Short mmCIF file of all heavy atoms in Angstrom, two decimals:
data_model
loop_
_atom_site.label_atom_id
_atom_site.label_comp_id
_atom_site.label_asym_id
_atom_site.label_seq_id
_atom_site.Cartn_x
_atom_site.Cartn_y
_atom_site.Cartn_z
N ALA A 66 0.44 17.04 6.12
CA ALA A 66 0.12 16.04 7.14
C ALA A 66 0.74 14.70 6.76
O ALA A 66 0.06 13.71 6.49
CB ALA A 66 -1.40 15.91 7.28
N LEU A 67 2.06 14.65 6.71
CA LEU A 67 2.81 13.45 6.36
C LEU A 67 3.64 13.01 7.55
O LEU A 67 4.23 13.83 8.25
CB LEU A 67 3.72 13.70 5.15
CG LEU A 67 3.02 14.14 3.85
CD1 LEU A 67 4.07 14.44 2.78
CD2 LEU A 67 2.08 13.05 3.36
N ALA A 68 3.68 11.69 7.78
CA ALA A 68 4.42 11.14 8.90
C ALA A 68 5.82 10.72 8.47
O ALA A 68 5.99 10.14 7.39
CB ALA A 68 3.68 9.93 9.48
N TRP A 69 6.81 11.01 9.31
CA TRP A 69 8.20 10.64 9.05
C TRP A 69 8.52 9.33 9.74
O TRP A 69 8.12 9.11 10.88
CB TRP A 69 9.16 11.74 9.52
CG TRP A 69 9.04 13.01 8.75
CD1 TRP A 69 8.26 14.09 9.05
CD2 TRP A 69 9.74 13.34 7.55
NE1 TRP A 69 8.43 15.07 8.12
CE2 TRP A 69 9.33 14.64 7.18
CE3 TRP A 69 10.67 12.68 6.75
CZ2 TRP A 69 9.81 15.29 6.05
CZ3 TRP A 69 11.15 13.32 5.62
CH2 TRP A 69 10.73 14.61 5.27
N ALA A 70 9.26 8.47 9.04
CA ALA A 70 9.68 7.18 9.59
C ALA A 70 11.15 6.96 9.28
O ALA A 70 11.65 7.40 8.23
CB ALA A 70 8.83 6.05 9.02
N SER A 71 11.85 6.29 10.18
CA SER A 71 13.27 5.98 9.98
C SER A 71 13.40 4.76 9.08
O SER A 71 12.89 3.68 9.41
CB SER A 71 13.96 5.73 11.32
OG SER A 71 13.96 6.88 12.13
N VAL A 72 14.08 4.91 7.96
CA VAL A 72 14.28 3.83 7.00
C VAL A 72 15.72 3.88 6.51
O VAL A 72 16.12 4.84 5.84
CB VAL A 72 13.31 3.94 5.80
CG1 VAL A 72 13.54 2.76 4.84
CG2 VAL A 72 11.87 3.98 6.24
N GLY A 73 16.49 2.86 6.85
CA GLY A 73 17.84 2.76 6.31
C GLY A 73 18.72 3.95 6.60
O GLY A 73 19.45 4.41 5.71
N GLY A 74 18.67 4.49 7.82
CA GLY A 74 19.50 5.62 8.19
C GLY A 74 19.00 6.97 7.70
O GLY A 74 19.72 7.97 7.81
N ALA A 75 17.81 7.03 7.15
CA ALA A 75 17.22 8.27 6.67
C ALA A 75 15.81 8.41 7.22
O ALA A 75 15.20 7.45 7.69
CB ALA A 75 17.19 8.30 5.14
N GLN A 76 15.29 9.64 7.19
CA GLN A 76 13.91 9.91 7.54
C GLN A 76 13.10 10.02 6.24
O GLN A 76 13.44 10.81 5.36
CB GLN A 76 13.79 11.19 8.34
CG GLN A 76 14.44 11.13 9.73
CD GLN A 76 13.68 10.22 10.66
OE1 GLN A 76 12.46 10.31 10.78
NE2 GLN A 76 14.40 9.33 11.33
N VAL A 77 12.06 9.19 6.12
CA VAL A 77 11.28 9.10 4.89
C VAL A 77 9.81 9.38 5.19
O VAL A 77 9.26 8.84 6.16
CB VAL A 77 11.44 7.72 4.23
CG1 VAL A 77 10.59 7.64 2.95
CG2 VAL A 77 12.90 7.44 3.90
N ALA A 78 9.19 10.23 4.38
CA ALA A 78 7.76 10.50 4.45
C ALA A 78 7.15 10.15 3.09
O ALA A 78 7.64 10.62 2.06
CB ALA A 78 7.48 11.96 4.80
N ARG A 79 6.10 9.31 3.07
CA ARG A 79 5.46 8.87 1.84
C ARG A 79 4.10 9.53 1.69
O ARG A 79 3.39 9.76 2.67
CB ARG A 79 5.31 7.35 1.82
CG ARG A 79 6.64 6.59 1.96
CD ARG A 79 6.44 5.10 1.80
NE ARG A 79 7.70 4.36 1.89
CZ ARG A 79 8.03 3.61 2.91
NH1 ARG A 79 7.21 3.52 3.96
NH2 ARG A 79 9.20 2.97 2.93
N GLY A 80 3.73 9.83 0.44
CA GLY A 80 2.45 10.45 0.17
C GLY A 80 1.93 10.09 -1.21
O GLY A 80 2.61 9.42 -2.00
N GLY A 81 0.70 10.53 -1.48
CA GLY A 81 0.06 10.24 -2.76
C GLY A 81 -0.59 11.46 -3.35
O GLY A 81 -0.43 12.59 -2.85
N LEU A 82 -1.37 11.25 -4.40
CA LEU A 82 -2.00 12.36 -5.10
C LEU A 82 -2.98 13.11 -4.21
O LEU A 82 -3.11 14.34 -4.34
CB LEU A 82 -2.71 11.84 -6.35
CG LEU A 82 -1.91 11.96 -7.65
CD1 LEU A 82 -0.73 11.02 -7.62
CD2 LEU A 82 -2.80 11.67 -8.85
N SER A 83 -3.66 12.42 -3.29
CA SER A 83 -4.61 13.09 -2.43
C SER A 83 -3.92 14.13 -1.54
O SER A 83 -4.49 15.19 -1.25
CB SER A 83 -5.36 12.07 -1.56
OG SER A 83 -4.45 11.32 -0.76
N ASP A 84 -2.69 13.85 -1.10
CA ASP A 84 -1.94 14.80 -0.29
C ASP A 84 -1.59 16.05 -1.10
O ASP A 84 -1.69 17.18 -0.61
CB ASP A 84 -0.67 14.15 0.26
CG ASP A 84 -0.96 12.96 1.15
OD1 ASP A 84 -1.56 13.15 2.21
OD2 ASP A 84 -0.59 11.83 0.76
N LEU A 85 -1.17 15.85 -2.33
CA LEU A 85 -0.82 16.99 -3.18
C LEU A 85 -2.05 17.82 -3.54
O LEU A 85 -1.99 19.04 -3.61
CB LEU A 85 -0.12 16.49 -4.45
CG LEU A 85 1.19 15.73 -4.23
CD1 LEU A 85 1.72 15.19 -5.56
CD2 LEU A 85 2.24 16.62 -3.57
N THR A 86 -3.17 17.14 -3.76
CA THR A 86 -4.40 17.86 -4.06
C THR A 86 -4.88 18.66 -2.86
O THR A 86 -5.32 19.81 -2.99
CB THR A 86 -5.49 16.87 -4.51
OG1 THR A 86 -5.03 16.12 -5.64
CG2 THR A 86 -6.76 17.61 -4.89
N ALA A 87 -4.78 18.07 -1.64
CA ALA A 87 -5.20 18.77 -0.43
C ALA A 87 -4.36 20.01 -0.17
O ALA A 87 -4.85 20.99 0.39
CB ALA A 87 -5.13 17.82 0.76
N LEU A 88 -3.10 19.99 -0.58
CA LEU A 88 -2.21 21.14 -0.40
C LEU A 88 -2.38 22.18 -1.51
O LEU A 88 -1.71 23.21 -1.49
CB LEU A 88 -0.76 20.67 -0.36
CG LEU A 88 -0.35 19.84 0.86
CD1 LEU A 88 1.04 19.23 0.65
CD2 LEU A 88 -0.37 20.67 2.13
N GLY A 89 -3.25 21.92 -2.46
CA GLY A 89 -3.46 22.85 -3.56
C GLY A 89 -2.36 22.84 -4.60
O GLY A 89 -2.25 23.77 -5.39
N LEU A 90 -1.56 21.77 -4.64
CA LEU A 90 -0.45 21.67 -5.57
C LEU A 90 -0.83 20.97 -6.87
O LEU A 90 -0.08 21.03 -7.85
CB LEU A 90 0.72 20.95 -4.91
CG LEU A 90 1.23 21.58 -3.60
CD1 LEU A 90 2.29 20.71 -2.95
CD2 LEU A 90 1.78 22.97 -3.87
#
């Protein structure tokens, strides 16, 4: 559940430890 945003000609999605924990990683 990460959102993509246009930054400097690229698509960037930012996340943290809670996202990795929720995915079981």
Side-chain angles (χ1 to χ4, degrees):
L67 300 176
W69 294 92
S71 296
V72 181
Q76 294 290 312
V77 179
R79 302 186 179 108
L82 264 68
S83 59
D84 299 296
L85 299 175
T86 303
L88 293 170
L90 303 174

